[in-house]
Amino acid sequence: QEIQALRSRNAGLLTQYEKTILTSQDRESFERWNAARNSYLTVFNEVLRLSSNSRKAAAMELARAQMFPAFKPYAEAMNTEVAQNKQSGDQSVTAIQDLITATQAGIFVGTGIALLLAIGISVLVVRTITSPLSNAVSLVDQVADGDLTRTGTVTSEDELGRMQAALNRMIESLRTTVGHVSAAASNVAN
């Protein structure tokens, strides 16, 4: 009974294993292994039958003459199947490692491109802020030195553009105030 239970379990495992076969080479190898297994099990079953019928001498003779020789091709076919599975596994590992390497390279390249893009955007944003601020500081310095003839160029409608427009209005207001003071001083002098 124990042998029958093991055979049933093995048959189920073989059925499951057969579902994993992908290539024709693996299919041929499996069929050779299964044929060798069946040849071995046919003789093995007869040896068991003889042994259980108290014909131990006949069972031993059959085991020496047929069962042991039948086991050799069965074991060789099994070893071939294992070697092919190992080779297939090794190839899969290599393919997976290649994919991992390619993925890592892609991630590094993508990260590098994203970093360069972030730097480029940062430089652009900094320039759009610092250039108008630099122009405004230059204009304020000129006004501080008493030059009311210049005005700034308004290039945007954001906060920096509005600040530049406000500076221009301030300079215009200062011109008007200086003009009024100059006219009043002229009238007082006359």
Side-chain angles (χ1 to χ4, degrees):
Q1 284 180 331
E2 187 176 332
I3 291 174
Q4 284 302 94
L6 288 174
R7 284 185 180 172
S8 293
R9 181 174 175 259
N10 285 344
L13 292 174
L14 280 175
T15 301
Q16 290 176 0
Y17 174 75
E18 190 173 10
K19 292 177 185 176
T20 67
I21 296 172
L22 301 175
T23 67
S24 59
Q25 180 185 8
D26 289 340
R27 168 75 48 207
E28 290 170 11
S29 176
F30 175 76
E31 287 172 1
R32 279 192 305 274
W33 174 59
N34 208 20
R37 177 180 176 271
N38 288 336
S39 295
Y40 170 74
L41 288 178
T42 300
V43 177
F44 181 79
N45 289 337
E46 183 61 23
V47 169
L48 279 180
R49 188 185 67 72
L50 290 173
S51 179
S52 65
N53 290 335
S54 299
R55 296 181 57 202
K56 298 201 185 296
M60 281 304 291
E61 182 58 34
L62 185 60
R64 280 190 206 111
Q66 293 181 22
M67 189 178 82
F68 295 150
F71 184 76
K72 184 177 179 181
Y74 174 43
E76 287 172 357
M78 192 176 352
N79 288 336
T80 300
E81 186 72 16
V82 168
Q84 285 179 342
N85 284 338
K86 182 182 180 318
Q87 180 183 12
S88 177
D90 291 345
Q91 289 171 347
S92 294
V93 166
T94 300
I96 290 169
Q97 287 173 337
D98 291 345
L99 285 174
I100 289 170
T101 301
T103 302
Q104 287 173 335
I107 289 171
F108 288 135
V109 168
T111 302
I113 290 171
L115 185 61
L116 290 175
L117 189 59
I119 290 170
I121 290 171
S122 298
V123 167
L124 181 66
V125 168
V126 167
R127 284 190 180 172
T128 60
I129 293 171
T130 58
S131 179
L133 275 178
S134 177
N135 291 340
V137 168
S138 176
L139 183 61
V140 169
D141 283 341
Q142 291 170 357
V143 170
D145 290 339
D147 184 0
L148 298 177
T149 62
R150 300 184 187 258
T151 58
T153 305
V154 179
T155 59
S156 66
E157 294 182 18
D158 60 4
E159 291 81 7
L160 294 171
R162 290 196 311 262
M163 181 187 70
Q164 191 71 37
L167 283 174
N168 288 342
R169 286 192 309 275
M170 181 191 72
I171 292 169
E172 188 58 40
S173 178
L174 284 173
R175 280 188 204 142
T176 304
T177 302
V178 169
H180 289 298
V181 168
S182 180
S186 251
N187 285 340
V188 170
N190 287 336

